[in-house]
């Protein structure tokens, strides 16, 4: 039907702006859908491939030490496919600047064979077994980058009180170290402070003095087996060897971070396109409905000439389909571009050896199907009116618009206060309910996007404040490779750099309910702190700071949830520390603690010592130094061989800030998405409003209204709808932010509350208003071009 | 004429450019309009009477010639000045009433009243046009004659010195048309506005103080009625 096609193009050309606005919204939907699902599948597939190739373990156990052939016994447990034993220990390494960091030595048997958690070489060569020279190691890429290490470099570590020179022969990663974090309480990786070194088993047993022993076991399980039963069986086998703690893959740090990111991507890749497609559907429905009303007489003529309903409907639906098709095309092109950008960003976070890139054809096909489906169905819905049009009737003038009293008029004292242009606006809204709803939904959607964007900054700021200001108020947190006496610290206070220090005693424990005979237990870290200490802030789940109790325990929220314990209950804690016989003690729960990251249960230093049958033992120390003394202090630490790890708050904080800059990218994206949506919706609504009220507006000009006053008339209607959209959008955004945090950002390890600062509400509202006004402003040139004489003639 | 001059048109002409065709809608014409008189502009379609009305009302600018309202040169006014001229000095009544469908009768009148500092009261004006009882009705619920009365009320609420009516009875039946004309005549004395009625209905000429006849874009003849007929006695 070439004539109707030609007419279609003319309709597009006559309403270029509106066509562009619709195409843009569809395009945004497709853009977001393609880029996010592509990024998701790329990341997910690389993860899965890597996990499979490297045989990532399902369960991890730590013991003090056990003979290496213990794996044979574990492999006899039904449900266990394979068990690998290894040595893993944190030692300190010497940085070129004289400072220290933590290196996690992880051993592998040669040849690698069927071992679990195999390293994958990224560059260099595999290590060889004992060869007489310096032990050969592979290091993780972030660590190598952070310290500027090259192949062939020598890295000095302190192990078992001796300095050992390690030769770097390759850069490698493993499924455990995709996102290498030291422990659950480190908020982010610290490439210059913490790293992974992979080395042959026979080297590790020499360096760490563990001949014939292993201290970690990784298990691969038959899919779908009861993990709890297996853990019990393994625990029984390991009991004589100082069974420390165990965790499933779901609590493995690197895996948790990657999984969280994947969940977030998945949630967003569904929610955002849904938003854009819904708005696009509403806008297309409105536009086509209006087009059909305006073209009543043309449709009547077509019918009179003998065109059937189906042909005419197809003609108008093809407009919507054209919008969808154009939007899908543009969205696909830009979506592939954004997918590359997103994948690059992820590549900076996660070191995956096989990055599966490329185009996700399925996402493209789905995009076209969804957008064409949305276009065609909203078009068909809008075209129902075509069928009703009778040729003879349609060529007469349409019945005039019927003004109606609205609900607000029942409050006369209020109604009286509005001038005519407000009344016009409000009655026009009441008359065009669908348009009103689409406009309100569009504005709400863009406010939601703005809130989700800006709230990320709140989350970052909150994490910074909570982690670095409220919880950790020390300059340094230092752990020793084995417990020391408090008296050993005496000379630290004589160092001129040190202002103050507080000891800390950390004891890995298993927790059971006191009267439950140990049926259900949870692994926890008991942290003993000084009663008058202030460097470590302990908080309740509702954010109230708790004081360290003289007696009793501030139980971790994680254990309290798992064991269903509340304040007032008694717990039995059993030390798993590599120190004398396993002591137990009963403690009263006096409070529940929840740190932003990691954390554990808190007791007084004395209580922790009592558990071990000791009095003045400590495993770490928090230090505050005098300003400007960091370098000198770190040099002092460099001379000590008993230190296993050092956390410098300054470095962690600046590292965190740098890493979080990539969040700016997400925030900017969200603001751009929201801006485009608000602009398109305001432009479209204003234009429809203008076109429908052209005659009225012309009349007002004739009566002597100025251009500014006319603008005001239109702005009042748009403004009122926007206001309602913003008012609805704010709680909706708040709710979605909470939902997002709850589903996509909360794990066993991260306790992220949905914090929304007042500035986010203000920023979201102000930005939405700016974008809406900008959309409205695009139509103002039309107001100036209003032909007064012409509008009077067209009055009907 | 002993009445003071309200508006003077000096060799006013208007050309429209429709693509490459130039249409002479109004050829150079001159006319003096005095305070308080009722002028009927007669002519067939396309004779230029609507163009003349648009120029007098400040809706359009002449291609050549000058229009003075008092001492103000309306033909040289910019967009803002023209808007202000319409706002302060002119009332319009249209063939199809041009009421805002979303506003009630009273609100349509208030729409114009809100534009100037000291308008007449809305209720008084509706009383004047005999529509007090229908003040809260929307245009769609009013008859043609009632809508035209609202339109007149909207025009005179500003007490405009110049009231321009474009075929005010064109869409009305005979009886209603007569009553509208009577209302317009009454306004010249109660409000004191100069009323200009543009129509192709020659019978209406009988009620005018002066009659301007137009033909093919030019003022062909201006005549005075010594004794204008009362509108009620007009027949067509």
């Amino acid at each position: 039907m070439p004539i109707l096609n030609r007419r279609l193009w003319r309709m597009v050309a006559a309403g270029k702006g509106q066509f562009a606005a619709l195409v843009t919204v569809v395009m945004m939907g497709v853009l977001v859908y393609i880029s996010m699902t592509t990024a998701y599948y790329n990341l997910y597939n690389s993860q899965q491939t890597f996990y499979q190739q490297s045989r990532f373990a399902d369960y991890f156990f730590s013991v003090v030490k056990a003979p290496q052939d213990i794996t044979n016994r574990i492999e006899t447990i039904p449900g266990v496919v394979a068990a690998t034993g290894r040595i893993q220990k944190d030692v300190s390494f010497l940085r070129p600047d004289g400072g220290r960091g933590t290196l996690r030595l992880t051993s592998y048997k040669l040849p690698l064979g069927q071992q679990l958690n195999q390293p994958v070489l990224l560059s260099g060569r595999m290590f060889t077994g004992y060869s007489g020279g310096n032990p050969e190691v592979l290091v993780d890429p972030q660590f190598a980058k952070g310290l500027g290490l090259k192949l062939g470099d020598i890295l000095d570590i302190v192990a078992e009180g001796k300095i050992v020179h390690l030769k770097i022969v390759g850069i490698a990663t493993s499924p455990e170290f995709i996102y290498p974090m030291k422990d659950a309480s480190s908020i982010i990786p610290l490439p210059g402070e913490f790293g992974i070194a992979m080395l042959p088993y026979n080297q590790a047993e020499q360096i760490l003095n563990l001949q014939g022993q292993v201290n970690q076991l990784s298990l691969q399980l038959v899919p779908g087996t009861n993990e709890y039963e297996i853990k019990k069986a393994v625990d029984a086998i390991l009991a004589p060897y100082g069974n420390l703690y165990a965790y499933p893959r779901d609590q493995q740090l690197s895996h948790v971070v990657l999984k969280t990111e994947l969940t977030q991507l998945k949630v967003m890749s569904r929610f955002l396109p849904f938003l854009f497609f819904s708005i696009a559907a509403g806008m297309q429905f409105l536009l086509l409905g209006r087009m059909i009303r305006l073209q009543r007489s043309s449709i009547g003529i077509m019918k009179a000439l003998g065109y059937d309903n189906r042909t005419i409907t197809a003609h108008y639906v093809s407009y919507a389909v054209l919008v969808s098709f154009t939007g899908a095309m543009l969205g696909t092109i830009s979506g592939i571009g954004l997918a590359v950008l997103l994948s690059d960003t992820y590549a900076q976070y996660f070191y995956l050896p096989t990055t599966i890139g490329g185009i996700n054809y399925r996402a493209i096909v789905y995009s076209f199907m969804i957008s064409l489906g949305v276009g065609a169905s909203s078009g068909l819905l809008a075209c129902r009116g075509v069928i009703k049009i009778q040729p003879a009737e349609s060529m007469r003038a349409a019945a005039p618009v019927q003004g109606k009293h609205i609900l607000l008029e029942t409050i006369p004292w209020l109604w009286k206060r509005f001038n005519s242009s407000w009344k016009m606006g409000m009655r026009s809204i009441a008359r065009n309910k669908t348009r009103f709803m689409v406009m309100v939904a569009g504005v709400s959607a863009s406010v939601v996007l703005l809130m989700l964007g800006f709230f990320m900054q709140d989350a970052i700021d909150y994490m910074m404040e909570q982690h670095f200001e409220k919880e950790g108020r020390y300059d340094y947190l230092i752990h020793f490779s084995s417990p020391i006496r408090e008296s050993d610290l005496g000379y630290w206070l004589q160092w001129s750099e040190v202002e103050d220090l507080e000891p800390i005693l950390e004891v890995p424990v298993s927790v059971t309910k006191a009267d439950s005979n140990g049926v259900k237990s949870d692994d926890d870290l008991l942290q003993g702190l000084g009663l008058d200490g202030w460097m470590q802030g302990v908080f309740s789940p509702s954010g109230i700071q708790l004081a360290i109790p003289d007696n009793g325990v501030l139980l971790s929220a994680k254990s309290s949830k798992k064991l269903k314990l509340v304040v007032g209950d008694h717990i039995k804690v059993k030390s798993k520390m590599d120190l004398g016989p396993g002591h137990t003690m009963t403690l009263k729960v006096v409070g529940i603690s929840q740190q932003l990251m990691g954390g554990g249960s808190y007791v007084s230093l004395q209580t922790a010592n009592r558990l071990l049958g000791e009095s003045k033992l400590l495993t770490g120390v928090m230090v505050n130094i005098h300003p400007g003394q960091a370098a000198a202090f770190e040099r002092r630490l460099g001379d000590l061989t008993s230190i296993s790890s050092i956390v410098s708050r300054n470095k962690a904080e600046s590292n965190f800030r740098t890493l979080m800059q990539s969040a700016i990218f997400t925030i900017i994206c969200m603001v751009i998405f929201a801006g485009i949506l608000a602009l398109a919706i305001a432009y479209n609504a204003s234009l429809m409003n203008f076109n429908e009220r052209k005659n009225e507006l012309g009349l007002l000009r004739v009566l002597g209204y100025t251009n500014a006053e006319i603008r005001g008339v239109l702005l009042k209607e748009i403004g009122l709808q926007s206001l309602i959209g913003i008012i609805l959008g704010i709680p909706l955004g708040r709710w979605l932010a909470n939902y997002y945090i709850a589903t996509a950002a909360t794990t066993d390890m991260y306790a992220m509350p949905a914090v929304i600062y007042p500035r986010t509400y203000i920023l979201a509202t102000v930005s939405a208003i700016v974008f809406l006004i900008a959309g409205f402003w695009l139509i103002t040139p039309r107001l100036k071009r209003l032909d007064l004489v012409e509008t009077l003639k067209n009055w009907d | 004429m002993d009445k003071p001059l309200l508006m003077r048109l000096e060799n006013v002409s208007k050309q429209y450019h429709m693509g490459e065709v130039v249409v002479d809608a109004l050829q150079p014409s001159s006319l003096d309009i005095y305070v308080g008189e009722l002028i009927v502009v007669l002519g067939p379609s396309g004779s230029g009477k609507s163009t003349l009305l648009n120029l007098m009302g400040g809706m359009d600018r002449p291609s050549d010639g000058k229009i003075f309202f008092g001492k103000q040169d309306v033909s040289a006014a910019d967009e803002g000045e023209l808007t202000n001229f319409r706002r302060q000095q002119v009332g319009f009544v249209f063939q199809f009433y041009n009421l805002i469908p979303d506003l009630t009768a009273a609100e349509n009148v208030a729409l114009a009243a809100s534009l100037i500092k000291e308008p007449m009261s809305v209720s008084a004006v509706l009383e004047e046009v005999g529509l007090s009882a229908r003040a809260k009705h929307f245009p769609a619920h009013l008859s043609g004659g009632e809508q035209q009365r609202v339109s007149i009320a909207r025009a005179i609420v500003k007490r405009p010195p110049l009231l321009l009516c474009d075929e005010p009875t064109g869409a009305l039946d005979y009886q209603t048309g007569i009553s509208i004309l009577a209302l317009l005549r009454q306004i010249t004395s109660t409000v004191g506005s100069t009323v200009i009625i543009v129509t192709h209905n020659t019978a209406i000429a009988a009620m005018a103080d002066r009659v301007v006849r137009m033909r093919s874009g030019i003022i062909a003849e201006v005549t005075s009625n010594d004794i204008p007929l009362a509108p009620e006695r007009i027949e067509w």
Side-chain angles (χ1 to χ4, degrees):
Chain A
M1 223 151 317
I3 288 290
L4 282 188
N5 282 350
R6 211 178 297 162
R7 188 168 182 271
L8 175 69
W9 288 113
R10 289 202 185 127
M11 283 188 327
V12 172
K16 286 190 288 278
Q18 227 151 2
F19 184 79
L22 281 173
V23 165
T24 307
V25 178
V26 175
M27 182 188 93
M28 295 307 294
V30 173
L31 163 83
V32 175
Y33 181 74
I34 289 189
S35 58
M36 293 193 115
T37 36
T38 303
Y40 172 79
Y41 280 109
N42 285 352
L43 195 58
Y44 178 76
N45 288 334
S46 341
Q47 179 211 33
Q48 291 301 313
T49 315
F50 189 29
Y51 281 8
Q52 245 165 33
Q53 281 173 358
S54 296
R55 310 195 63 200
F56 188 29
D58 297 310
Y59 228 106
F60 298 82
F61 290 84
S62 279
V63 291
V64 174
K65 55 183 173 184
Q68 52 173 320
D69 58 7
I70 194 108
T71 51
N72 297 337
R73 283 176 62 197
I74 291 172
E75 279 179 343
T76 60
I77 300 171
V80 175
V81 177
T84 299
R86 67 178 180 190
I87 297 172
Q88 187 175 68
K89 197 154 190 186
D90 285 2
V91 297
S92 54
F93 69 89
L94 306 177
R95 280 207 311 263
D97 62 3
R100 283 191 177 213
T102 307
L103 193 65
R104 184 159 294 166
L105 297 182
T106 307
S107 79
Y108 299 87
K109 288 200 178 116
L110 283 173
L112 290 172
Q114 294 297 302
Q115 274 176 79
L116 301 178
N117 307 322
Q118 296 195 3
V120 170
L121 202 61
L122 300 174
S123 64
R125 63 168 172 83
M126 200 62 194
F127 45 64
T128 52
Y130 187 67
S131 57
N134 290 327
E136 292 180 349
V137 297
L138 310 174
V139 292
D140 79 88
Q142 295 203 14
F143 180 64
K145 204 171 141 196
L147 278 184
L149 294 172
K150 295 182 298 294
L151 299 181
D153 280 358
I154 300 291
L155 182 66
D156 290 344
I157 61 165
V158 181
E160 300 297 300
K162 302 178 304 237
I163 293 194
V164 181
H165 311 291
L166 301 176
K167 184 180 178 192
I168 297 166
V169 296
I171 310 291
T173 184
S174 118
E176 293 171 90
F177 310 128
I178 293 170
Y179 193 77
M181 278 207 292
K182 187 166 154 287
D183 52 45
S185 61
S186 24
I187 201 161
I188 40 148
L190 297 165
E193 308 274 308
F194 173 75
I196 310 292
M198 296 159 235
L199 74 173
Y201 172 74
N202 57 357
Q203 293 287 9
E205 59 180 348
Q206 295 297 325
I207 294 170
L208 297 166
N209 204 13
L210 283 167
Q211 280 78 5
Q213 307 286 319
V214 293
N215 66 357
Q216 268 195 6
L217 292 136
S218 315
L219 271 62
Q220 189 182 8
L221 309 179
V222 174
T225 17
N226 184 343
E227 288 189 355
Y228 183 71
E229 290 300 319
I230 290 177
K231 181 179 183 287
K232 249 171 53 182
V234 177
D235 278 343
I237 295 174
L238 295 179
Y241 305 103
N243 184 11
L244 292 177
Y245 53 87
Y247 54 87
R249 183 196 279 190
D250 269 351
Q251 285 173 26
Q252 202 274 337
L253 274 181
S254 163
H255 174 75
V256 168
V257 175
L258 185 51
K259 205 178 100 182
T260 310
E261 192 60 48
L262 280 168
T263 316
Q264 289 173 357
L265 249 186
K266 200 173 181 177
V267 169
M268 279 301 180
S269 72
R270 288 182 185 177
F271 169 68
L272 291 182
F274 170 77
L275 213 62
F276 282 103
F277 285 129
S278 316
I279 304 295
M283 282 169 72
Q284 296 198 40
F285 174 75
L286 282 182
L287 186 73
L288 276 183
R290 185 180 152 266
M291 209 182 255
I292 289 161
R293 274 201 308 285
L294 282 184
Q295 298 185 4
R296 257 173 92 247
S297 59
S298 305
I299 294 169
I301 292 165
M302 282 192 247
K303 285 195 176 181
L305 289 175
Y307 282 96
D308 58 11
N309 278 328
R310 195 189 303 169
T311 314
I312 300 172
T313 302
H315 172 54
Y316 285 97
V317 170
S318 58
Y319 180 90
V321 170
L322 191 64
V323 166
S324 301
F325 185 77
T326 317
M329 285 292 285
L330 295 173
T332 302
I333 296 165
S334 45
I336 291 171
L338 188 62
V340 171
L341 217 66
L342 274 177
S343 301
D344 282 353
T345 311
Y346 283 121
Q348 287 173 18
Y349 267 106
F350 304 111
Y351 278 79
L352 286 156
T354 46
T355 320
I356 297 173
I359 297 164
N360 186 344
Y361 291 101
R362 196 191 288 175
I364 296 175
V365 172
Y366 282 167
S367 300
F368 272 85
M369 277 166 57
I370 296 167
S371 46
L372 291 179
V374 164
S377 45
S378 60
L380 279 172
L381 210 61
C383 283
R384 284 172 312 169
V386 167
I387 296 156
K388 287 192 211 126
I389 293 172
Q390 296 299 316
E393 179 208 2
S394 74
M395 279 176 267
R396 280 199 296 272
V401 174
Q402 296 251 341
K404 270 191 194 140
H405 290 293
I406 61 172
L407 208 61
L408 204 61
E409 293 177 55
T410 53
I411 317 168
W413 64 266
L414 183 63
W415 183 248
K416 265 201 313 223
R417 278 157 215 273
F418 296 113
N419 64 18
S420 311
S421 48
W422 274 114
K423 289 176 182 170
M424 280 161 76
M426 286 189 265
R427 290 205 182 110
S428 161
I429 288 172
R431 192 152 35 77
N432 297 293
K433 290 192 185 68
T434 319
R435 192 169 76 199
F436 168 71
M437 285 189 283
V438 172
M439 172 79 186
V440 167
V443 174
S444 296
S446 75
V447 171
V448 164
L449 291 180
L450 287 166
M451 294 261 304
L452 287 180
F454 290 131
F455 125 91
M456 285 181 196
Q457 188 62 50
D458 292 350
I460 293 168
D461 288 352
Y462 174 81
M463 280 160 74
M464 295 283 294
E465 200 199 331
Q466 187 68 18
H467 191 73
F468 293 112
E469 309 291 334
K470 291 190 171 163
E471 292 181 5
R473 300 184 200 129
Y474 44 77
D475 292 333
Y476 287 92
L477 172 64
I478 296 152
H479 280 100
F480 300 105
S481 28
S482 53
I484 62 167
R485 302 266 152 214
E486 225 177 289
S487 53
D488 296 343
L489 272 186
Y491 68 101
W492 282 45
L493 278 169
Q494 284 155 23
W495 293 347
S496 58
E497 302 85 19
V498 174
E499 186 188 310
D500 199 5
L501 47 82
E502 285 180 17
I504 176 167
L505 174 57
E506 293 182 343
V507 186
V509 293
S510 71
V511 179
T512 48
K513 199 170 175 178
D515 49 5
S516 68
N517 302 322
V519 176
K520 222 173 169 192
S521 73
D522 190 34
D523 291 335
D524 203 353
L525 186 68
L526 201 64
Q527 306 201 35
L529 296 172
L531 288 176
D532 48 0
W534 59 274
M535 291 194 199
Q536 172 72 59
V538 179
F539 288 84
S540 77
S542 55
I544 297 164
Q545 188 163 2
L546 304 168
I548 299 298
D550 223 339
N551 282 302
V553 58
L554 302 173
L555 186 66
S556 73
K558 177 181 80 91
S559 294
S560 100
K561 220 177 284 169
K562 194 168 169 191
L563 303 176
K564 298 196 173 64
L565 291 164
V566 292
V567 174
D569 286 346
H570 285 81
I571 57 166
K572 203 160 78 188
V573 289
K574 181 167 183 272
S575 160
K576 292 178 150 196
M577 204 157 177
D578 177 16
L579 203 73
H583 295 275
T584 61
M585 83 195 291
T586 302
L587 288 169
K588 187 180 177 187
V589 179
V590 296
I592 306 293
S593 72
Q594 183 155 35
Q595 302 297 86
L596 185 63
M597 266 159 225
S601 298
Y602 294 85
V603 291
S604 68
L605 209 51
Q606 287 73 10
T607 309
N609 266 297
R610 245 187 12 250
L611 176 64
L612 298 176
E614 295 280 347
S615 62
K616 297 258 174 186
L617 219 54
L618 53 96
T619 54
V621 62
M622 298 175 282
V623 183
N624 270 351
I625 57 164
H626 293 294
Q629 299 292 316
F633 180 67
E634 285 181 30
R635 264 197 307 278
R636 289 227 198 235
L637 297 179
D639 297 336
L640 301 178
T641 51
S642 55
I643 290 171
S644 71
S645 79
I646 301 164
V647 174
S648 147
R649 191 183 68 165
N650 260 346
K651 281 178 191 157
E653 198 173 335
S654 74
N655 216 307
F656 182 70
R657 274 189 207 283
T658 316
L659 199 68
M660 283 304 129
Q661 266 164 14
S662 59
I664 304 283
F665 176 70
T666 317
I667 296 171
I668 291 172
C669 276
M670 287 294 221
V671 173
I672 291 174
F673 293 163
I676 290 175
L677 187 62
L679 211 69
I681 197 99
Y683 172 75
N684 196 57
S686 309
L687 194 56
M688 281 181 91
N689 200 354
F690 170 80
N691 281 335
E692 263 172 36
R693 293 169 69 180
K694 218 178 194 166
N695 293 339
E696 277 177 32
L697 299 174
L699 174 81
L700 293 178
R701 290 285 287 123
V702 171
L703 290 181
Y705 275 73
T706 61
N707 268 325
E709 285 166 335
I710 302 271
R711 227 172 18 235
V713 169
L714 278 182
L715 201 54
K716 275 171 193 155
E717 186 171 339
I718 295 291
L720 197 61
Q721 303 181 75
S722 304
L723 187 72
I724 296 172
I726 290 171
I727 290 172
L728 290 178
I730 283 177
L732 197 63
R734 194 189 147 82
W735 181 78
L736 274 164
N738 281 320
Y739 177 79
Y740 177 73
I741 283 287
T743 54
T746 300
T747 67
D748 268 359
M749 279 176 306
Y750 299 91
M752 184 66 214
V755 197
I756 301 173
Y757 293 141
R759 63 155 189 231
T760 287
Y761 298 110
I762 296 167
L763 268 177
T765 307
V766 170
S767 329
I769 291 172
V770 168
F771 290 129
L772 289 165
I773 290 179
F776 172 75
W777 218 252
L778 290 176
I779 68 136
T780 51
R782 286 164 201 262
L783 290 177
K784 290 200 187 115
R785 292 200 300 264
L786 259 182
D787 185 333
L788 305 189
V789 177
E790 206 55 37
T791 57
L792 289 177
K793 274 193 212 153
N794 294 333
W795 203 276
D796 52 30
Chain B
M1 273 295 165
D2 48 0
K3 288 174 177 170
L5 190 67
L6 182 73
M7 183 178 251
R8 163 169 282 169
L9 283 76
E10 291 178 5
N11 290 317
V12 173
S13 66
K14 182 72 190 175
Q15 278 118 34
Y16 290 110
H17 296 264
M18 317 273 272
E20 290 176 4
V21 188
V22 180
V23 181
D24 276 315
L26 186 67
Q27 300 196 30
S29 309
S30 298
L31 183 68
D32 287 348
I33 298 158
Y34 300 93
V35 172
E37 66 173 337
L38 192 152
I39 297 178
V40 170
V41 180
L42 274 181
S45 307
S47 61
K49 53 187 194 306
S50 287
T51 305
L52 185 68
L53 191 84
N54 290 338
L55 291 172
M56 290 193 289
M59 297 220 278
D60 214 348
R61 278 195 210 84
S63 307
D64 206 356
K66 295 220 171 275
I67 302 173
F68 290 97
F69 183 85
K71 287 192 176 149
Q72 186 191 3
D73 184 356
V74 179
S75 48
D78 64 19
E79 195 55 44
E81 288 164 341
L82 272 186
T83 302
N84 197 43
F85 168 70
R86 291 196 300 268
R87 190 171 188 142
Q88 306 292 341
Q89 317 293 359
V90 190
F92 288 97
V93 175
F94 309 98
Q95 179 176 5
F96 296 109
Y97 336 125
N98 295 27
L99 298 177
I100 308 265
D102 274 327
L103 296 178
T104 63
E107 288 163 0
N108 263 289
V109 179
L111 185 69
S114 65
L115 285 173
I116 59 161
K117 281 204 184 99
E118 287 175 7
M120 295 165 72
S121 97
V122 171
S123 53
V125 177
L126 284 173
E127 176 88 55
E128 169 96 27
V129 300
L131 271 184
S132 295
R134 311 285 274 166
K136 287 190 175 166
H137 287 66
F138 285 101
H141 302 139
L142 298 173
S143 71
E146 286 170 330
Q147 290 191 54
Q148 195 59 295
R149 281 166 191 274
V150 177
S151 170
I152 292 170
R154 182 178 66 189
I156 63 174
V157 74
K158 299 192 293 184
R159 298 180 216 267
L162 185 60
L163 181 61
L164 300 173
C165 313
D166 193 359
E167 299 278 9
T169 59
L172 301 174
D173 62 65
Y174 170 75
Q175 275 303 334
T176 318
I178 293 294
S179 68
I180 291 296
L181 292 175
L183 181 60
L184 290 174
R185 168 49 92 186
Q186 179 191 322
I187 283 162
T188 56
S189 52
T190 55
V191 184
S193 302
T194 300
V195 177
I196 298 179
I197 301 171
V198 165
T199 180
H200 66 275
N201 187 345
T202 47
I204 295 176
M207 69 179 280
D209 295 319
R210 284 196 294 156
V211 181
V212 175
R213 282 176 221 277
M214 299 201 64
R215 209 172 296 129
S216 309
I218 195 158
I219 296 179
E221 187 187 20
V222 181
T223 54
S224 296
N225 281 339
D226 291 336
I227 310 161
L229 217 56
E232 293 80 2
R233 294 177 56 199
I234 297 174
E235 282 182 26
W236 65 79

